[in-house]
Amino acid sequence: MHALRQYVPILQWGRTYDRAAFANDAVAAVIVTIMLIPQSLAYALLAGLPPEAGLYASIVPILLYAILGTSSALAVGPVAVVSLLTASAVGQVAEAGTAGYAVAALTLAFLSGAFLLLMGLLRLGFLANFLSHPVIAGFITASGILIAASQLKHIFGIDAHGHTLPELITSLAAHLGEASIPTLVIGILATGFLFWVRKGMKPLLRALGLGSRLADVATKAGPVLAVVATTLAVWALGLSENGVRIVGAVPQSLPPFTLPGFAPDLLKALLVPAILISIIGFVESVSVAQTLAAKKRQRIDPDQELIALGAANLGAAFTGGFPVTGGFSRSVVNFDAGAETPAAGAFTALGLAVAALLLTPLIYYLPKATLAATIIVAVLSLVDFSILRKTWAYSRADFAAVAATILLTLGLGVEIGVAAGVLLSIALHLYKTSRPHVAEVGRVPGTQHFRNILRHEVETAPHLLTLRVDESLYFVNARFLEDLVQSRVTEGCAITDVVLMFSAVNEVDFSALESLEAINARLRDMGVGLHFSEVKGPVMDRLKRSHLIEALNGRVFLSQNDAWEALAGKARPCTGAAQPS
């Protein structure tokens, strides 16, 4: 039963669920449902799918997450970046609007869900750490620009295509003369209204005497107001006959049972995009969940989140949806509205099910320009060019990674952009750790503390060289330390002993072990003793399983001060060159 509760968290929080929690979850669900209806329709449009697919992707996946997820506030469903990735991946294997396109989207959700579920069962949530925050921020910024640009065709009422920014701009410019004036008016008004809703609606309602909670609900319902107003305008004025493109007939039903495609060629074509979508979706989801959980002094289990998101995507694959993940905006709304448990998501799913059953006939005349405006307003909040300024000021390597990710995503497409982001994150880590900071240290007078000789006034001994290694040692940087010791010992003072201070070393892999053995052999041949100090227990346990400790032509000291007392003798200034810091 304990293991079952670990994998099915509802069995834990469900035992203490009470009326107060139900009331808070129900209120949050009403607010999120109102917000999610236009968003679901809009993100289906972004993914190149019929609008009902957005509703379907927001029902069963949310229910499954409520059962298996560990976040009380995370709201699962279609999101902008994943929808864009879906359109990009599926567009490579099928034409939008065809049955094959829908099947490919289901297959993408299935592969994504299976990959996430497998990662969760194998406890591989740590793999998401290989994506650095600056690279993710750059990718999301570039994706936001691409998404907004891709929706301009609906604002103008023209046909335009492309997966990169140059392609989109060229296509838009070529068809700009075909723009529909009524569509453009609707698009501009809807976009302007939605931008105003975000900043100006709540203060206005409060000034008119409305309570904070009601004003907040009304503000969240702003997109619904835009949907209602523009739908009525198109219906009343007969604008659909004058070039305004509308959603049209939407099936009035609950999510159907669907099957993804299992053709080998299709699975092969979608496997890599599915993995990329899974990683990006998981990173976005976990980041949001951890941020919101911290505000309530709660914690989430990343590995269990993988299982929950995997199940949600599998649910989408078999109920007419497409890949989903936890969304930032709706999760924040869910949190602010007072959601206490994942049951708020289950209630949201029930609300969306009612909408799918009863409300779809009302959106027949909904203009696609309004949905495009909803997407544009939502994604432009993701665009953050300040990350370029911040990384430039802090780390030029991080700046280069962010800039490259943005440019590659805009210029070559989201799939290449996200793949480049993963590779750049790994390359950046390897670059930073390939040249670890190694400081020559001496003792601070009158203490047992040792500090960098280039930063502090310290005691040194001419025949004793102490190097503090500030990074774990592995195959990438092992040779760096080997060359550094060799260079330092052969210059300056007549060094008789070298101490490697390992206080910051958490790992020594086999390549680094061989380098340490080479250093020991060379120093022995030169008549120089090699010693270690402050070696951590797990590192020492591993070193003892090798021949290094037996062959060591020196000692292992518990503390650096012990090494100093044993080896330094009379401290006097050293005239040799010091290793730069």
Side-chain angles (χ1 to χ4, degrees):
M1 180 58 70
H2 175 74
L4 186 61
R5 287 173 181 165
Q6 180 182 356
Y7 286 104
V8 188
I10 193 174
L11 297 178
Q12 297 184 35
W13 60 262
R15 293 185 301 168
T16 58
Y17 198 68
D18 55 23
R19 184 175 298 177
F22 168 78
N24 290 330
D25 287 343
V27 171
V30 170
I31 295 174
V32 175
T33 300
I34 292 172
M35 175 186 183
L36 201 52
I37 291 174
Q39 270 196 3
S40 298
L41 300 172
Y43 290 145
L45 179 72
L46 176 59
L49 293 162
E52 62 269 17
L55 291 174
Y56 298 159
S58 303
I59 297 176
V60 173
I62 296 179
L63 288 173
L64 290 171
Y65 182 84
I67 296 171
L68 300 172
T70 60
S71 171
S72 62
L74 192 69
V76 172
V79 300
V81 173
V82 171
S83 297
L84 178 65
L85 287 167
T86 298
S88 176
V90 176
Q92 302 295 322
V93 299
E95 185 178 348
T98 64
Y101 190 95
V103 171
L106 297 173
T107 306
L108 192 63
F110 173 80
L111 290 173
S112 178
F115 180 73
L116 288 167
L117 191 61
L118 181 63
M119 285 184 65
L121 293 174
L122 295 178
R123 318 299 286 178
L124 297 178
F126 69 91
L127 290 177
N129 296 332
F130 284 103
L131 275 174
S132 70
H133 172 71
V135 168
I136 284 289
F139 172 72
I140 291 177
T141 291
S143 297
I145 296 171
L146 275 180
I147 291 168
S150 71
Q151 296 308 296
L152 290 177
K153 63 182 180 182
H154 297 296
I155 299 294
F156 286 96
I158 59 179
D159 292 317
H161 303 282
H163 296 292
T164 68
L165 190 60
E167 290 176 354
L168 285 169
I169 292 175
T170 302
S171 185
L172 286 168
H175 294 87
L176 203 57
E178 306 166 8
S180 165
I181 299 301
T183 301
L184 184 58
V185 170
I186 291 173
I188 292 175
L189 290 177
T191 303
F193 173 75
L194 291 173
F195 271 119
W196 174 78
V197 163
R198 291 201 160 206
K199 298 293 184 181
M201 188 172 185
K202 186 174 182 178
L204 176 62
L205 294 175
R206 291 300 308 277
L208 294 176
L210 204 62
S212 177
R213 190 68 176 267
L214 288 177
D216 192 55
V217 173
T219 300
K220 299 299 188 296
V224 176
L225 297 177
V227 167
V228 172
T230 55
T231 301
L232 288 175
V234 171
W235 170 72
L237 301 176
L239 297 179
S240 60
E241 299 173 1
N242 294 318
V244 176
R245 299 176 183 180
I246 59 175
V247 168
V250 177
Q252 195 172 354
S253 68
L254 292 173
F257 176 74
T258 54
L259 280 174
F262 296 103
D265 290 343
L266 181 62
L267 294 175
K268 181 179 178 181
L270 295 177
L271 179 60
V272 173
I275 292 174
L276 295 177
I277 286 174
S278 300
I279 294 173
I280 290 294
F282 173 64
V283 170
E284 180 179 355
S285 180
V286 166
S287 299
V288 174
Q290 288 178 333
T291 300
L292 297 179
K295 293 182 178 181
K296 289 188 175 182
R297 296 183 179 273
Q298 298 172 344
R299 65 175 298 274
I300 66 165
D301 181 349
D303 292 315
Q304 182 61 30
E305 288 296 292
L306 281 167
I307 293 174
L309 291 173
N313 277 279
L314 290 175
F318 290 100
T319 56
F322 55 98
V324 298
T325 192
F328 176 76
S329 58
R330 71 175 71 103
S331 295
V332 171
V333 170
N334 200 31
F335 178 87
D336 291 341
E340 289 195 19
T341 72
F347 299 149
T348 299
L350 293 177
L352 291 171
V354 171
L357 273 175
L358 304 178
L359 302 182
T360 51
L362 302 179
I363 62 173
Y364 182 90
Y365 288 101
L366 172 61
K368 290 184 177 181
T370 301
L371 295 180
T374 302
I375 294 173
I376 290 172
V377 173
V379 300
L380 286 183
S381 65
L382 303 175
V383 176
D384 179 19
F385 284 112
S386 69
I387 190 68
L388 291 170
R389 173 178 51 80
K390 294 173 182 176
T391 52
W392 176 264
Y394 187 77
S395 168
R396 299 299 164 85
D398 282 323
F399 170 82
V402 173
T405 302
I406 291 175
L407 292 175
L408 287 172
T409 302
L410 293 176
L412 300 177
V414 289
E415 289 185 9
I416 293 178
V418 70
V422 173
L423 295 177
L424 284 170
S425 295
I426 297 173
L428 194 59
H429 171 72
L430 294 177
Y431 170 75
K432 289 178 178 178
T433 57
S434 65
R435 298 180 61 83
H437 180 262
V438 179
E440 183 174 341
V441 298
R443 187 167 68 171
V444 178
T447 73
Q448 297 184 7
H449 300 293
F450 290 77
R451 295 292 185 267
N452 191 328
I453 66 171
L454 299 181
R455 294 178 181 272
H456 302 272
E457 293 292 333
V458 294
E459 298 172 346
T460 61
H463 62 281
L464 177 62
L465 171 66
T466 297
L467 298 175
R468 189 190 67 218
V469 183
D470 293 335
E471 181 70 62
S472 290
L473 297 175
Y474 68 120
F475 66 95
V476 171
N477 59 26
R479 187 60 185 268
F480 175 83
L481 180 63
E482 190 176 338
D483 294 340
L484 175 62
V485 172
Q486 180 73 12
S487 172
R488 183 64 184 86
V489 169
T490 55
E491 67 181 21
C493 301
I495 294 173
T496 60
D497 292 279
V498 174
V499 181
L500 296 181
M501 187 175 174
F502 272 21
S503 54
V505 176
N506 297 314
E507 177 72 22
V508 176
D509 76 354
F510 191 77
S511 297
L513 174 66
E514 290 186 327
S515 285
L516 292 176
E517 291 175 340
I519 292 172
N520 182 58
R522 290 175 184 172
L523 292 182
R524 182 178 61 243
D525 293 342
M526 297 170 64
V528 177
L530 175 64
H531 313 271
F532 298 120
S533 73
E534 302 190 10
V535 183
K536 295 183 177 180
V539 176
M540 193 65 200
D541 291 341
R542 181 167 291 184
L543 292 180
K544 286 180 178 179
R545 295 200 295 268
S546 71
H547 296 293
L548 175 63
I549 301 302
E550 295 178 7
L552 191 68
N553 63 323
R555 297 169 55 187
V556 178
F557 294 95
L558 182 63
S559 71
Q560 177 57 33
N561 192 65
D562 290 343
W564 173 268
E565 295 291 347
L567 303 172
K570 184 180 178 181
R572 54 193 182 277
C574 177
T575 58
Q579 167 63 22
S581 172

